[in-house]
Amino acid sequence: MSNIDRRTLVKGSLATMMAGAAFSRTAFAQSSEPILLGVSGPLTGPNAQYGTQWKQGFDLALDEIHAAGGINGRKLAYNFEDSQSDPRQSVAIAQKFVSDSRIVMELGDFSSPASMAASPIYQRGGLVQFGFTNSHPDFTKGGDFMWSTSVSQADEQPLLAQYAVKRLGLKKLAVLHLNTDWGRTSRDYFVKAAKEYGAEVAITEGYIAEERDFRSTLVRVRDASPDGLILISYYSDGALIARQARQVGLKQTICAASSVYSPKFLELGGEAVEDVHLGTRYFPEDPRPEVKKFIAGFKAKYSGQEPDAFNAYAYDAMNMAAAVVRIGGTDRRAIRDAFTKVRDVSSVIFGAATFDVETRRVKGAMNAELVVRKGQFALWDGKPT
Amino acid sequence: MSSWLDYTINGLIVGNVYALVAVGLALIFGVSRLINFAQGSIYLVGAYIGWVAVVQLHTPLPLTIIVVAVAAALVGLIIERFGLRPLQNSARIAPLLATIGISFVLDQIVMLTFSPNPRALPSQLPDVRFQVGNGTIGPLDLLIAGVGITSALLLFVFLRYSKLGWAVRATAQDRDAAMQMGVDVNRVNQAVFGIAAALGGVSGMLVGMYYNQIDTAMSLQATLKGVVAEVVGGAGNVPGAVVGSLLLGLVESYGVAVFGTSYRNLFAFLLLVLVLVLRPNGLFASARQAPPEPLTGTFIAPSRPVRIPRWALAVAVGGFAILPLFPVSFYVLQTLINAWLLGMLALSLTLVAGTIGQVSLGHAALLAIGAYTSALLSLSLSVPVGLAVIAGGLMSAALGTTLISPSFRLRGHYVSIATLAIGEIVSLVILNWEGVTRGPIGISGIPPLSLFGYDLISASSVYWFSLAVMIVLALLQGRLLTSHLGRSFRAIRDDDIAARAYGLSLNRYKSLAFIFGGFAAGVSGAIAAHLYSYINHETFNTQQSILALTVVILGGLGNVVGAVVGSVALVGLPEVFRIAAEYRILIYGIVLLLLVRFRPQGLLGTI
């Protein structure tokens, strides 16, 4: 709510409610108001931390965009509506955004159920739904107004499999995965790729997001006697599993999906995550200038706090949105078409990002092979642990 | 074979963790006959106070424990004094709802203060591990076990041998008699809440250290597992709560051993249902326990229902029916569509909870059954959507009633716990039965609503459709309530013994109520599925069940118009407060508390 003052908001929503879309379109067309994006995401509820991280990334990107003169002289702003990542609420928010003519594009939602429930409304309403954390394979199949910079698991998991099997030489794997659409899809891509690289997947175990106790699961894993554990987890559950794996005496190499990449993973995992291997889409020590700029800006703005992957996704998404609006202007349909025209946008996750018009996703995510050494993420030097 | 030793040890360790919550719940249930849904929130508060003490004040462990215990006890005392004591003479459901409201408020305050990011809570014990079997246990495991068992023993001694303990037990047995014998009932309540909260707070801190991780979402899970453990052991029985917790831990651990990780919680809730069916008072309920109080007036606040004149209802219906003809935004229509869908669910719940007196906390399961049935029929078998929605309603009616029927012989709070468990079981079956439900991937591409070959896509046509369905269901239910059958339902609610003496077959009437209610809820879920186009096992969750319960209590139990008014209010309220973003749930919780406090019979009163 920090980017728009309350009066503007009340005035805006009153106008839409009272007079409908037609009236407000004329009222706002020539104004010097900022160009407004809608954000549907969790600010409360179980996924609230991700909404907070989004805001940090968005605000940083907006600072930079405005410092560089905004969008052809106009400012860019967003209206963040709290959906709690709940489909009932994201659907209502979708109607709100679609009928609010000031909104030129929507970003979010966080989870697949919330995002995909809202997709038909955005599609019919002709408003781009730009999902940047939606790796569900069906998300961009919702229609030609669904676009995503989320790295498709079809791209990411083979890279992890390559790291584990080809580079680390693990031959017999145990896969622990979050039992959600994301975890399940990722697992399937990973297992397929790992087998193609010649490894055996001895056991796969799915756990639900609220789970805190993995000791019994890890006994099952131990009995399958793998030589490596693969974690398809978020940082908080990933850290829990690593800790408990060490506590129950499992000493195997651990490889984790990029989603654990967060300073929190180190903080929560402590000594147990030492020597954990992971691929990541971005890495602060990456010498690329766009990454350096992002890290420096983030630390300056948020009193030294280290950014993590979700900060980066949000930052990239806002920059991508700005690039698209620069081409498409404020017409919703033109913005949709601008996604097919935008080329080589500087981004943390993809380097120079361009959309694949067929899949409506971006291809070619950066991949750094990391390992945790002395409580820090470090580029892997190629030596086995 | 040696793995079984490991599974056993692991089960006992996690059982210890559950015991810490269950003991506090048991203590409060023993005295107040109240399932304290805020216990998980106190656990959360304790964890964060512990974090402040350890990370910012660098207190040594004994001091940390004292700080957390005192601070949490203080929170408990405040809850008792300002949240629950004013509700002493109101309907039994009022304090239960109040604890739900309090948990919203506490969780949100913690979240606003500390941000929702998980934090590390370092253990203050040396990190040595002892080899047991093939695994290891550490000092913290032992400390948790020590705290759980010691507190249970101390409480047992306190209740049995101290004067205040006698007063507590006397109050638990018969509040009025205790009062007449000169027991200061309020002081007893205070003492109990203080002790339970101190325990809850310390347990949150210890569990946080155990996992080296605390976050603001940990309270609901703690409450759920604690409630299961407590009821398995025998509600209100402190040593029983410990045994129940260990048993729960073992069942989960063996469940993982045999069937795999994704079945873990399924076994926890199946255990609960099994215990409730075989031994409705828990495994360790004493034979001499006072019989469960008769349901007469248990959930019904003394009030006269507000009669709304027919013409006013007709005007309201007419007004809502022509709303889309005016230039209102789609957002308003969509919000109202959500209200109509919730209204159908509330009709269902107000019938079973209000009219026949079976409070259900698992009503979202009926939505899920209807949604999956309709989605799968229309997608896989190309059944026309209109028919699929009806089939969804029928399936919910049939399957829901079958699942719930073992709990028909339960009384009072146990019905709510059983339905809570059945709700969780349905969700977990959907997650695991991949061949049919597509498991965690969910079902996408569900066709939009259509009627006689015409797609209902625009917001106004969906609006009219759902409004019409809700009105038809409401009219049917209104008719039902004034019929002979409706009077039989209410007779069972008001005094089931008298009703049985009159020759009413309780199970048959309860089944009828669930069949009717299941249909309404199933239709609601089915329409939602076609509206969202994507559903998975999390779409219809426990929060939805609790929201529905809040709606019917707000509207007035058994009150058809009240269910609809409550739905509009509780769907609208969060939307109105949307502008307050992070403070929304906090405000919602406070509003809930105020309603329970000042209008416990609901806005329109009970019918």
Side-chain angles (χ1 to χ4, degrees):
Chain A
M1 228 29 74
S2 55
N3 288 282
I4 3 157
D5 68 312
R6 183 163 296 182
R7 202 175 343 143
T8 327
L9 198 72
V10 171
K11 206 169 63 185
S13 41
L14 277 182
T16 14
M17 277 181 178
M18 304 294 286
F23 170 76
S24 44
R25 185 166 294 141
T26 51
F28 285 98
Q30 296 304 321
S31 71
S32 60
E33 303 268 311
I35 299 173
L36 199 55
L37 307 172
V39 181
S40 167
L43 286 177
T44 57
N47 293 316
Q49 75 260 32
Y50 300 111
T52 315
Q53 288 179 302
W54 283 11
K55 273 188 162 182
Q56 292 178 325
F58 289 156
D59 291 343
L60 175 62
L62 284 178
D63 284 354
E64 294 175 7
I65 291 163
H66 293 154
I71 311 285
N72 307 327
R74 281 180 77 178
K75 286 201 164 187
L76 192 62
Y78 64 87
N79 180 2
F80 200 131
E81 293 282 5
D82 176 22
S83 66
Q84 299 186 306
S85 231
D86 167 7
R88 274 166 290 277
Q89 301 186 39
S90 69
V91 164
I93 291 169
Q95 295 285 14
K96 188 173 197 168
F97 285 157
V98 164
S99 58
D100 181 346
S101 63
R102 297 170 308 152
I103 305 280
V104 299
M105 182 197 327
E106 188 268 349
L107 284 79
D109 200 283
F110 175 72
S111 73
S112 300
S115 310
M116 289 161 71
S119 293
I121 293 170
Y122 290 116
Q123 179 67 25
R124 290 195 290 267
L127 182 64
V128 165
Q129 182 186 25
F130 181 28
F132 56 96
T133 57
N134 303 109
S135 62
H136 194 293
D138 291 347
F139 171 73
T140 52
K141 293 177 189 162
D144 59 351
F145 280 87
M146 276 76 240
W147 293 81
S148 178
T149 48
S150 172
V151 180
S152 164
Q153 295 309 314
D155 288 342
E156 167 164 353
Q157 294 305 325
L159 295 173
L160 180 63
Q162 191 178 27
Y163 190 11
V165 181
K166 286 273 179 197
R167 309 258 285 143
L168 292 167
L170 304 174
K171 289 287 166 242
K172 192 175 180 190
L173 304 173
V175 180
L176 286 89
H177 65 94
L178 196 58
N179 207 6
T180 59
D181 58 304
W182 169 79
R184 191 45 204 282
T185 318
S186 303
R187 184 199 85 181
D188 291 345
Y189 283 122
F190 176 87
V191 168
K192 184 163 167 281
K195 282 181 179 161
E196 279 167 13
Y197 290 126
E200 176 197 349
V201 177
I203 186 171
T204 67
E205 291 287 325
Y207 60 90
I208 58 170
E210 294 83 17
E211 200 53 83
R212 287 284 176 277
D213 174 63
F214 296 95
R215 297 172 65 119
S216 297
T217 303
L218 289 165
V219 175
R220 262 176 93 85
V221 166
R222 187 194 70 205
D223 290 353
S225 57
D227 55 10
L229 309 187
I230 309 296
L231 308 185
I232 297 174
S233 308
Y234 290 140
Y235 58 78
S236 57
D237 31 325
L240 274 173
I241 297 174
R243 280 177 66 87
Q244 293 177 31
R246 298 315 183 210
Q247 282 176 5
V248 302
L250 290 182
K251 296 186 174 64
Q252 281 88 340
T253 306
I254 297 179
C255 279
S258 68
S259 39
V260 303
Y261 179 78
S262 163
K264 284 276 175 193
F265 183 64
L266 304 174
E267 187 190 339
L268 299 174
E271 280 176 25
V273 297
E274 193 69 17
D275 293 332
V276 168
H277 295 263
L278 64 151
T280 178
R281 304 293 80 84
Y282 103 104
F283 178 53
E285 265 113 89
D286 195 321
R288 286 185 294 130
E290 54 268 34
V291 180
K292 286 209 166 332
K293 183 177 152 209
F294 167 62
I295 309 279
F298 196 91
K299 281 189 171 168
K301 188 169 168 70
Y302 302 108
S303 52
Q305 191 193 335
E306 290 274 353
D308 81 354
F310 283 100
N311 294 130
Y313 295 151
Y315 172 82
D316 275 358
M318 188 53 80
N319 280 322
M320 186 59 100
V324 168
V325 173
R326 233 174 234 125
I327 297 177
T330 55
D331 180 71
R332 289 176 176 182
R333 207 156 280 273
I335 284 181
R336 192 259 325 252
D337 298 337
F339 273 86
T340 63
K341 295 174 194 149
V342 69
R343 291 277 177 277
D344 296 333
V345 180
S346 154
S347 85
V348 176
I349 308 295
F350 297 92
T354 302
F355 280 95
D356 178 334
V357 179
E358 286 300 304
T359 61
R360 292 190 286 278
R361 289 184 185 272
V362 178
K363 274 215 159 127
M366 294 289 153
N367 189 47
E369 291 177 338
L370 303 187
V371 65
V372 180
R373 286 278 152 80
K374 300 197 178 75
Q376 297 294 326
F377 291 110
L379 278 171
W380 185 51
D381 51 12
K383 288 183 198 138
T385 42
Chain B
M1 238 4 245
S2 69
S3 297
W4 286 100
L5 178 62
D6 292 330
Y7 286 121
T8 308
I9 293 169
N10 294 340
L12 293 176
I13 288 175
V14 74
N16 264 323
V17 170
Y18 298 154
L20 292 176
V21 182
V23 166
L25 281 168
L27 197 59
I28 289 177
F29 189 92
V31 175
S32 313
R33 292 275 175 270
L34 168 67
I35 291 168
N36 179 16
F37 277 91
Q39 188 73 5
S41 301
I42 293 172
Y43 166 94
L44 179 71
V45 170
Y48 276 85
I49 293 171
W51 182 85
V52 171
V54 172
V55 175
Q56 304 207 310
L57 307 176
H58 307 289
T59 51
L61 182 65
L63 188 59
T64 312
I65 292 180
I66 293 171
V67 167
V68 170
V70 170
L74 217 62
V75 175
L77 292 180
I78 293 171
I79 291 176
E80 193 278 331
R81 179 64 190 84
F82 298 102
L84 298 175
R85 196 182 299 175
L87 302 177
Q88 260 171 17
N89 298 318
S90 50
R92 291 308 288 261
I93 194 78
L96 183 93
L97 260 188
T99 61
I100 292 175
I102 288 166
S103 79
F104 282 171
V105 172
L106 284 181
D107 287 3
Q108 283 305 306
I109 289 176
V110 172
M111 187 188 268
L112 290 169
T113 317
F114 292 95
S115 95
N117 274 319
R119 278 159 201 258
L121 177 55
S123 161
Q124 293 184 304
L125 285 170
D127 194 20
V128 289
R129 318 251 356 139
F130 313 106
Q131 188 81 22
V132 179
N134 288 315
T136 61
I137 61 173
L140 203 53
D141 299 327
L142 299 176
L143 179 64
I144 289 176
V147 170
I149 292 166
T150 315
S151 53
L153 281 177
L154 281 179
L155 283 173
F156 186 74
V157 172
F158 162 75
L159 291 174
R160 187 129 300 208
Y161 299 107
S162 80
K163 206 163 176 196
L164 185 58
W166 290 359
V168 168
R169 286 195 298 147
T171 313
Q173 242 173 18
D174 190 333
R175 184 178 203 95
D176 293 333
M179 222 138 71
Q180 282 160 7
M181 295 304 288
V183 172
D184 184 345
V185 175
N186 284 336
R187 213 176 112 240
V188 166
N189 255 339
Q190 254 178 354
V192 165
F193 262 87
I195 296 170
L199 268 173
V202 170
S203 61
M205 180 209 77
L206 287 175
V207 173
M209 284 185 181
Y210 177 64
Y211 293 127
N212 188 34
Q213 193 174 117
I214 56 174
D215 64 71
T216 48
M218 64 198 265
S219 87
L220 179 68
Q221 276 301 308
T223 308
L224 273 182
K225 290 290 170 72
V227 166
V228 173
E230 185 218 348
V231 173
V232 166
N237 182 325
V238 171
V242 174
V243 180
S245 304
L246 296 178
L247 190 64
L248 175 64
L250 285 175
V251 166
E252 286 188 8
S253 186
Y254 293 147
V256 169
V258 179
F259 296 96
T261 308
S262 56
Y263 292 93
R264 172 184 191 127
N265 283 2
L266 190 56
F267 288 102
F269 290 109
L270 282 175
L271 170 73
L272 176 66
V273 171
L274 195 72
V275 167
L276 280 178
V277 169
L278 298 180
R279 281 188 68 92
N281 288 324
L283 294 178
F284 300 96
S286 81
R288 289 182 295 119
Q289 199 169 33
E293 61 182 276
L295 271 177
T296 314
T298 303
F299 296 109
I300 306 305
S303 77
R304 187 178 296 173
V306 177
R307 291 257 170 247
I308 298 183
R310 272 166 192 277
W311 62 265
L313 281 179
V315 168
V317 168
F320 277 118
I322 58 171
L323 190 66
L325 301 177
F326 294 92
V328 288
S329 77
F330 290 144
Y331 163 66
V332 172
L333 290 186
Q334 182 64 51
T335 304
L336 284 171
I337 292 171
N338 285 350
W340 307 145
L341 290 177
L342 182 60
M344 294 174 212
L345 180 67
L347 282 175
S348 161
L349 187 58
T350 209
L351 180 70
V352 299
T355 305
I356 203 160
Q358 307 283 299
V359 173
S360 162
L361 283 177
H363 238 54
L366 297 172
L367 290 178
I369 294 171
Y372 269 85
T373 306
S374 188
L376 288 171
L377 283 179
S378 57
L379 258 184
S380 310
L381 301 175
S382 309
V383 173
V385 173
L387 288 179
V389 167
I390 294 173
L394 293 175
M395 181 61 101
S396 270
L399 200 56
T401 309
T402 312
L403 287 174
I404 233 98
S405 57
S407 72
F408 284 164
R409 51 194 286 253
L410 301 175
R411 297 284 174 273
H413 283 317
Y414 291 108
V415 180
S416 9
I417 303 294
T419 50
L420 182 73
I422 287 164
E424 294 292 320
I425 289 170
V426 167
S427 160
L428 289 163
V429 166
I430 289 174
L431 178 63
N432 284 295
W433 197 7
E434 296 193 2
V436 171
T437 62
R438 306 187 193 177
I441 303 292
I443 302 178
S444 57
I446 303 167
L449 286 170
S450 73
L451 216 52
F452 309 118
Y454 295 99
D455 283 354
L456 307 178
I457 283 181
S458 70
S460 32
S461 58
V462 176
Y463 174 91
W464 274 317
F465 179 74
S466 42
L467 177 64
V469 171
M470 189 197 67
I471 288 173
V472 169
L473 288 171
L475 286 175
L476 280 174
Q477 194 159 321
R479 179 76 192 83
L480 181 74
L481 290 187
T482 52
S483 73
H484 184 75
L485 188 58
R487 282 197 293 279
S488 306
F489 284 170
R490 286 199 293 277
I492 290 170
R493 169 191 77 189
D494 289 341
D495 192 336
D496 58 352
I497 296 169
R500 206 160 42 193
Y502 250 76
L504 295 182
S505 159
L506 300 190
N507 284 0
R508 224 175 274 172
Y509 281 98
K510 286 177 185 173
S511 296
L512 277 176
F514 268 94
I515 287 170
F516 193 92
F519 182 77
V523 166
S524 169
I527 295 176
H530 293 285
L531 187 62
Y532 299 159
S533 85
Y534 174 75
I535 51 172
N536 73 5
H537 70 285
E538 288 169 329
T539 312
F540 307 102
N541 54 17
T542 312
Q543 278 164 336
Q544 184 71 358
S545 303
I546 290 177
L547 177 64
L549 187 65
T550 319
V551 164
V552 303
I553 301 223
L554 173 65
L557 279 163
N559 195 319
V560 170
V561 181
V564 178
V565 171
S567 301
V568 174
L570 282 191
V571 169
L573 206 59
E575 297 294 336
V576 173
F577 287 122
R578 197 175 274 296
I579 200 156
E582 289 94 334
Y583 298 91
R584 202 147 63 90
I585 303 294
L586 185 64
I587 294 169
Y588 177 61
I590 292 171
V591 169
L592 178 60
L593 278 174
L594 291 177
L595 274 166
V596 169
R597 169 75 180 80
F598 294 106
R599 186 105 186 134
Q601 71 273 39
L603 292 176
L604 298 186
T606 297
I607 291 181

